[in-house]
Each structure stands twice: as C-alpha cells, then as structure tokens.
Amino acid sequence: MIVDRTNKFARRIPAWLVYIMGGLPAGWFLYLGVTGGLGAEPIKALEHELGEFALKLLIAGLCITPLRKHLGVNLIKFRRAIGIMTFVYVCLHLLVWLVLDVQIVSQIWADILKRPYITVGMAGFALMIPLAMTSNNMSVRALGPKWRKLHKLTYPVAFLGALHFVMVAKGIQLEPLIYMAVVLGLLALRIPRRSARVAG
C-alpha cells in the first residue's frame, strides 16, 4: 500500500524539479562562503561541501535500482536528472579547486600526479564525462544496448568517489568510511547471485 502511494506520488512529480531542487544547495553553499558561514577556510570548506553533496547524489542514483528491484519503489524517471546534477556538482567541486584553491596552472598537473587522492578523484571525473555526454535520448537511441554497458561506468565512478573522500580525510574518520560502506553495499547488491547465474 505504501509502495503504491509512493509510486503514484512519484509519477506526479516532474523530473525537471530535480534540477531546480538540486541546484539550491550550491547557492546555499556559495552564500555561506560569502557571508563567512563556512569557517576560517571558506574555499576549502566550499570545495568539501560541493564534493560531499556530489557523492550524496551519486549514492542516491545508485539507490534507484535496488529500490525498484527489492521494494518495488519506482523512481527510475529521476535517475537521469540525478546523474546530471551529480556531474554538475563534481564540476563545481573541481572548479573551486582549480580556480580558487590552486590557481597556479603548473601546480594543477603536479598535484594530479603527486597526490594520490587527487589522482583518484580525477580518474573518477574522467569516467563521468562519457556518462554526462550520453545522458540524453539521442545517445540512448544511437548506442542501443551499448548504452547500458557504457553507463555501468557509474559503478567505478562511485567507488572512486568514495575512495577519494576517504583519502582526503586526515587520519581515520568515521564519515568517509560510512560513505564507502554504503557505496560498497549498493555495488554488492548488483552482483548476480550464484543461483541466478546457474538458472540463466
């Protein structure tokens, strides 16, 4: 009963609302940065908030398939919008690092090569580019069955994003480890069971 009501409610919500609601946190983070609400190091804090929100969106996107498969909750219509907004926040996270934090062009490439957590983050970003470029109906039609295979890149992207967060943290911190555990759990749900493979 609750599942049916949830699905009926979801059908009434237009997917474009995700773009509007998804953009609000970015404006709020920027406002906090300008008004001193992000502490003594606003650039670092803004960079962190944008990156963490991107990871939250990535996890939200990963939840859609298990919710439909195991609980019958169908939120598939929102998956593309969530994916695109994830890419937007990753781009904003990267721009803050490039433009406001590092600022020196020669230093950017050096950091990518010398700092493992940045290497991991940039690898995840690189994998997101083809996903963002093909998140449209024309690409779905043009690629056919290959589209689904391509968009399985979401899985390594999620792992690299969580790993980046763990590596950025100084010392062992609980929050990044929780994100990593959630991501690994959601990825584990996608592993075919032995009985399913035998039956297939």
Side-chain angles (χ1 to χ4, degrees):
M1 197 69 171
I2 296 177
V3 172
D4 291 337
R5 289 179 179 177
T6 301
N7 289 337
K8 287 180 181 178
F9 180 71
R11 284 194 291 268
R12 295 172 185 168
I13 301 176
W16 54 260
L17 191 60
V18 174
Y19 295 103
I20 295 176
M21 298 300 294
L24 294 178
W28 175 246
F29 297 149
L30 181 60
Y31 170 77
L32 290 177
V34 172
T35 58
L38 291 179
E41 296 184 340
I43 294 175
K44 288 289 186 183
L46 179 61
E47 187 179 326
H48 169 80
E49 293 292 348
L50 291 170
E52 185 173 354
F53 194 74
L55 186 55
K56 290 177 180 177
L57 287 173
L58 190 54
I59 289 173
L62 285 177
C63 286
I64 290 177
T65 295
L67 283 173
R68 185 178 61 169
K69 182 178 179 181
H70 299 289
L71 299 178
V73 177
N74 190 354
L75 304 175
I76 196 73
K77 64 182 286 187
F78 305 114
R79 185 162 60 184
R80 179 182 298 178
I82 292 173
I84 292 174
M85 289 308 300
T86 301
F87 183 71
V88 168
Y89 272 88
V90 170
C91 287
L92 291 174
H93 171 70
L94 184 59
L95 280 173
V96 170
W97 175 67
L98 293 173
V99 178
L100 299 180
D101 191 356
V102 181
Q103 296 183 344
I104 304 171
V105 176
S106 59
Q107 185 64 34
I108 293 171
W109 184 246
D111 282 352
I112 292 173
L113 295 178
K114 293 181 180 179
R115 300 186 181 185
Y117 71 91
I118 296 180
T119 307
V120 168
M122 290 301 295
F125 173 70
L127 292 179
M128 290 189 77
I129 294 174
L131 298 179
M133 292 179 64
T134 56
S135 291
N136 54 75
N137 293 333
M138 185 173 67
S139 295
V140 173
R141 290 192 296 268
L143 293 173
K146 293 180 181 179
W147 187 89
R148 285 184 177 276
K149 293 182 179 180
L150 174 64
H151 277 252
K152 287 184 178 181
L153 285 175
T154 303
Y155 307 153
V157 166
F159 175 75
L160 290 172
L163 181 60
H164 173 70
F165 192 18
V166 171
M167 295 173 73
V168 166
K170 295 180 180 179
I172 299 176
Q173 296 187 23
L174 183 60
E175 186 182 18
L177 294 176
I178 291 174
Y179 277 105
M180 175 60 83
V182 171
V183 168
L184 291 176
L186 289 169
L187 294 180
L189 288 174
R190 288 164 165 81
I191 299 175
R193 296 182 180 179
R194 183 176 300 177
S195 58
R197 291 199 297 266
V198 172

